[in-house]
Amino acid sequence: MMDVCLFGVGLIGRVHAGNLARHPKVRLRYIVDPNREAAAKVAAATGAEIADTETVMNDPAVKMVFIASATRTHADLAMAAAAKGKAIFCEKPIDLDLKRTDECLAAVAKAGVPFQIGFNRRFDPSFRALKERLDGGEIGAVEQVIITSRDPEPETEEALAGGGGVFREMTIHDFDMARNMLGEEPVELFATGSSLVAPQYSKLGDYDTAMFILRTASGRQCHINNSVRAAYGYDQRIEVHGADGMLQAGNRLPTSVETYGGKGISRDKPYYFFVERYAESYAAEIDHFITCVETGSSPAVTASDGRKAMILCEAALASARSGRFEPVKL
């Protein structure tokens, strides 16, 4: 049983903590978080020990680190872990600055340690099945990909101010899925953004409503639409149109029960947010990474995938802020 450390016990950190504590091949040895109260709660629930970064990095028994702390800490922690020969699982983005991202990737490559980026949607059972059937040729050559990704409610101003903005924190997942489904790298990207939902987005120079068009060299297209408001729940759908048909992965519902009556037909709303909707994918990505470290195989989602998605984020910001309604060449 390998010892591991978790950095950060915010919302996603707590999800990872639970999955690590339940995993049969690892022991969640340490938790590191400046919020001692939050760390104590997770430590009590998982049996982990609260520690500091230096202790973790200098403990040779710790074979893996899971980085779910504030975005600004990701690169520093990843480089410190790489220098100590520890395998790294890192939530996206690696850093908000592309140059800093490249410095981190170079350090990881030099150390030769496994690195997996937290693009959990690749491990969602429905999205994964869609990708497998797509790769199997079920609908022929890809022509269009349509991704809908809408949060149920806006973030607070405090949370927004501490992050990297909607494109880097939210749309980055959709850009990764676009790359995955298109099967080719985009060469052009157009983005348009608005502030229609909550004033804090406009106040911070961000967008709460956005649309994106991506095009590959062969002409394949992807449309992504984002919103931070969906009155009916967490809206996560993918559609791929090909030469011989279409594949769709719809929203996940708590139950499949439907009511039929004189006033109409009703069913459950989608799961409310990502913790419920993507519970299986979070467990699956952790299991995949642990298996890769155990067997010496390469993770399916690498630091390079994180970098390429970040390039799309930066291009989208440039396109949206230009106000010229012109695509950015990649």
Side-chain angles (χ1 to χ4, degrees):
M1 185 172 285
M2 295 177 284
D3 281 357
V4 305
C5 172
L6 172 66
F7 289 91
V9 291
L11 183 55
I12 188 59
R14 293 194 296 273
V15 172
H16 290 325
N19 287 325
L20 289 169
R22 289 187 291 270
H23 202 282
K25 294 182 179 179
V26 300
R27 176 176 66 155
L28 181 54
R29 175 71 182 279
Y30 296 120
I31 287 172
V32 180
D33 194 298
N35 185 331
R36 299 288 292 186
E37 182 179 354
K41 288 181 180 179
V42 175
T46 61
E49 177 184 339
I50 299 173
D52 57 30
T53 301
E54 183 178 2
T55 298
V56 171
M57 296 303 175
N58 289 325
D59 189 341
V62 175
K63 304 301 182 184
M64 288 176 266
V65 298
F66 292 80
I67 302 172
S69 47
T71 298
R72 65 182 181 276
T73 69
H74 290 183
D76 285 341
L77 290 172
M79 288 189 285
K84 293 293 186 178
K86 302 181 190 301
I88 303 158
F89 178 97
C90 183
E91 276 298 328
K92 53 74 202 166
I94 297 168
D95 195 84
L96 299 179
D97 179 75
L98 193 57
K99 181 180 179 181
R100 185 66 171 158
T101 298
D102 287 342
E103 290 174 0
C104 179
L105 266 59
V108 170
K110 182 179 179 180
V113 296
F115 185 109
Q116 181 173 320
I117 193 76
F119 285 142
N120 66 291
R121 296 181 191 182
R122 297 254 197 136
F123 297 88
D124 175 73
S126 296
F127 293 166
R128 198 168 195 170
L130 190 157
K131 173 64 173 172
E132 289 172 355
R133 293 169 69 169
L134 182 64
D135 290 346
E138 190 167 325
I139 61 168
V142 174
E143 295 173 352
Q144 291 181 324
V145 177
I146 298 92
I147 298 174
T148 295
S149 180
R150 301 177 183 139
D151 284 358
E153 61 183 42
E155 288 195 88
T156 64
E157 184 172 336
E158 181 183 12
L160 285 173
V166 169
F167 291 8
R168 296 187 186 103
E169 301 284 358
M170 176 182 177
T171 317
I172 193 170
H173 278 294
D174 303 311
F175 286 146
D176 179 65
M177 292 306 298
R179 292 183 56 246
N180 191 36
M181 297 297 174
L182 283 168
E184 298 175 355
E185 295 297 334
V187 297
E188 273 188 343
L189 187 154
F190 165 76
T192 180
S194 302
S195 182
L196 304 176
V197 178
Q200 59 264 34
Y201 289 84
S202 178
K203 180 180 178 181
L204 295 171
D206 205 353
Y207 309 102
D208 55 36
T209 307
M211 287 193 173
F212 311 84
I213 300 291
L214 290 72
R215 187 182 67 83
T216 71
S218 72
R220 294 180 180 181
Q221 302 168 344
C222 176
H223 168 256
I224 299 169
N225 66 88
N226 285 164
S227 175
V228 301
R229 174 168 58 197
Y232 46 87
Y234 193 41
D235 194 358
Q236 299 284 295
R237 291 172 279 142
I238 294 180
E239 175 184 302
V240 182
H241 176 57
D244 300 323
M246 178 178 68
L247 290 165
Q248 284 184 330
N251 282 319
R252 298 285 298 277
L253 311 180
T255 76
S256 61
V257 177
E258 297 182 348
T259 302
Y260 292 74
K263 294 183 179 180
I265 301 170
S266 66
R267 59 179 180 175
D268 290 354
K269 292 180 180 179
Y271 280 110
Y272 186 71
F273 210 13
F274 69 89
V275 172
E276 299 85 6
R277 166 62 182 84
Y278 286 118
E280 293 164 303
S281 72
Y282 285 120
E285 69 173 353
I286 291 291
D287 183 64
H288 173 75
F289 180 63
I290 292 170
T291 298
C292 287
V293 175
E294 181 185 39
T295 61
S297 54
S298 299
V301 192
T302 66
S304 177
D305 292 307
R307 183 185 190 277
K308 289 174 180 177
M310 192 64 181
I311 288 173
L312 295 177
C313 292
E314 297 306 307
L317 283 167
S319 177
R321 288 170 177 169
S322 72
R324 294 193 297 269
F325 294 97
E326 295 178 354
V328 170
K329 301 287 186 181
L330 298 165

